[in-house]
Structures are given as structure tokens and as C-alpha cells.
Amino acid sequence: MESQPIRTDEEFMQLALAEAEKAAVAGETPIGAVVIVNNRVVASGHNMRETWQDPTAHAEVIVLREAAARMGRWRLPDATLYVTMEPCLMCAGALVLARVGRLVYGCRDQRAGALGSVYDVVRDGRLNHVYRITPGVLEAECRSVVQGFFENLRKA
């Protein structure tokens, strides 16, 4: 019997959460992301800043690079990027530059979020591309992963 394809935002966010868990195990801030095109995962990844010693190695940037390479194009208007936390300025800008069609994120980032929490890049009005945003998908689960990671760091 063939399994049913994933079709809901919650199911795709579960994949991003699995990536966030991988990041936590590796000692990285647990942010995970996946890029979906035509209901298929074309890229998945998580933060790698500590491992790679690269300030740009955020989950969103990593999966955008992977998706562009796999698709053979840098413009991704048919892509939806799922990420467990609201993107920062760099990542929100990278999504604009990649012409992503839609972003779905889990929890807000009150310290550096660039889609309404601290800044509001997409709604600025001066950029050449705007993507649709769906916030708060599996918000509690996404927040719990990040909070648990930092609680464990403080205990250590």
C-alpha cells in the first residue's frame, strides 16, 4: 500500500522540527528548515554556525542554497520554506532575494525576528518581492525545542 503524501503545513513543520532536533544534538541552536516544491521536499537542514564557524550558516540560508542547486535556478517562486523560528534580517532578506513564494514559521523571535517581531522586512514596501507568510504553525512545539535547548545550556 502506497503512503499518502504530506499535504499540511503541520506535517511539513514536523520535518523542520526533526531538523531542529538534529541541530540540538550537534550543539547548534535548534532551528530547522525544509523547502517544499510541488508537495515534495527539495531541501532540508538546520543551523550549522558553530560546526562550520560560519555566521551565515542559518537553517534558512542552507536550505535555500541546497534548493537552488537541486532545482538548477536561484529564483524559487514555487517554493514554500518551513522554518521553526521567525527568520532574522539576513534570512528574511535571503527569502526576498530567492523570490520564495511562501514562508511558514513556527514561533516568533522576540530578539531578532524580521517578520514583525523586531523588524518587518516583507511589509516594508520598498523591496522588489513580497512573499506570503503563515506564522504560528506548531508554535508551542517550536518554542519548546528552543527554550529547552537554552535551559539545558544554562544548567550545564
Side-chain angles (χ1 to χ4, degrees):
M1 180 175 202
E2 195 172 312
S3 64
Q4 288 292 92
I6 297 172
R7 297 194 190 283
T8 68
D9 285 344
E10 290 77 11
E11 289 172 297
F12 287 126
M13 188 61 76
Q14 286 290 346
L15 299 177
L17 276 164
E19 286 293 331
E21 294 289 351
K22 290 178 190 176
V25 168
E28 298 281 352
T29 301
I31 308 298
V34 295
V35 174
I36 307 301
V37 176
N38 295 326
N39 212 36
R40 289 189 6 251
V41 176
V42 295
S44 61
H46 54 270
N47 276 9
M48 295 292 288
R49 289 187 308 174
E50 299 299 329
T51 302
W52 295 349
Q53 290 299 295
D54 178 352
T56 69
H58 290 205
E60 300 95 323
V61 171
I62 291 168
V63 298
L64 283 174
R65 286 178 179 154
E66 183 180 334
R70 286 192 176 159
M71 303 293 289
R73 55 188 165 90
W74 63 268
R75 290 178 189 88
L76 302 169
D78 51 345
T80 299
L81 191 147
Y82 291 79
V83 64
T84 55
M85 182 178 272
E86 177 184 6
C88 69
L89 276 169
M90 175 184 69
C91 294
L95 290 159
V96 169
L97 295 173
R99 313 292 197 270
V100 166
R102 181 172 175 239
L103 170 77
V104 179
Y105 72 85
C107 62
R108 289 198 170 279
D109 182 351
Q110 297 300 331
R111 293 188 175 139
L115 297 175
S117 291
V118 178
Y119 305 99
D120 207 346
V121 171
V122 173
R123 290 180 193 89
D124 181 275
R126 293 175 286 181
L127 300 174
N128 65 340
H129 177 73
V130 174
Y131 47 87
R132 292 174 295 135
I133 302 167
T134 303
V137 174
L138 299 183
E139 182 175 3
E141 294 91 330
C142 292
R143 185 181 308 105
S144 177
V145 170
V146 174
Q147 286 177 340
F149 176 80
F150 286 109
E151 285 171 10
N152 289 336
L153 273 183
R154 284 190 289 276
K155 289 178 189 173

